[in-house]
Amino acid sequence: MSVASLLPWHHALWQRLQSGQARQAHAWLLRGRSGIGKVDFALHWSRAWLCETPTTDSMACGRCSSCNWFEQGNHPDFRLLTLTQEDEAEGSTTRKKATQISIAQVRALGSFFELSSHRAQRNRLVVIHPAEALNNSAANALLKMLEEPPADMRFILVSHQSHLLLPTVISRCRIVDMPMPTREQATHWLQSRGMQDAEQLLDLAGGAPLQLTAGQMPEAKQTAQITQMLAQGERLNPYTLATSCVALGMETAIDMLQKWVHDLLSVRLAGEVRYYRHEQLAALAARADLAALLGLEQRLRQARRLASHPLNATLQFEALLLHYMQLFTLKTA
Ligand SMILES: [Zn+2]
């Protein structure tokens, strides 16, 4: 494997971390926002560390028995601790993702610890993701391991909310701030994977391209359609759009509307866009009635508070959208 298999915005970091000194730590914390490829990096790193014949770039060779085990997900010297799927209720067929990494999962590492590496002179590796999901007792159990790890053991913690980690755990780790891709890198990368409207979708994902590929935003296409409709201003069809909003989910749709309205206000008052780089936004902002726009922002905030128990979602969206359309008809020249 060559460095080309890394995400493009990880190349410089990869080179930096391959120096002999950097490799000496036994615990690492990769932190940074969600959707920028932290886990991808952690897995590349793990695989390279375990590889028997790494390349000159310190990448995994992709051919040795260690690389094969890793590929097949059964490497004897590697453990991934992450959120598991659990049954929603007894007898239920639906499964949901656990919200915590449990102490049982951490304790299961105990037996991994006791065994020596399957291969002489090799590393063993544990990746924990997302590390903030360790509950309190799990984090404390991990802390004990971090304090006295066997010499051949390495930990990589991955977190997008590292402020939730125990300070004692953080202090045991070498911290790596994971880089955000530039807009150009992210757009290009999405386009190379066949994504259309990459720029527009990237804005919705706050510049974090893996949000769009990891299924974290399956609604990305729907949201793109909704912004297209919002861009029509007073000419939009509130009944069609209300239906789309309901389909997207009350909270997500209100969040979108709030961001759109936030951008209209922000463009109008400060000339800045935060969420949507839509070509129509500036023109709409210039035409909108400012008092009505502030009123709509207020109203969306209230709607958000009630979003978890809406009385009638469709009617509520229709009312909000009629208010939105009035922004562009109230203004007197
Ligand atoms: Zn290999």
Side-chain angles (χ1 to χ4, degrees), residues 220-241:
K221 285 256 177 265
Q222 273 172 296
T223 51
Q225 282 166 358
I226 291 176
T227 52
Q228 283 306 344
M229 289 195 251
L230 286 171
Q232 294 172 7
E234 71 276 26
R235 289 176 295 113
L236 67 81
N237 180 328
Y239 310 106
T240 314
L241 184 46

Side-chain angles (χ1 to χ4, degrees), residues 51-53 60-64 67:
C51 174
E52 290 158 13
T53 53
C61 73
R63 288 184 301 270
C64 69
C67 283

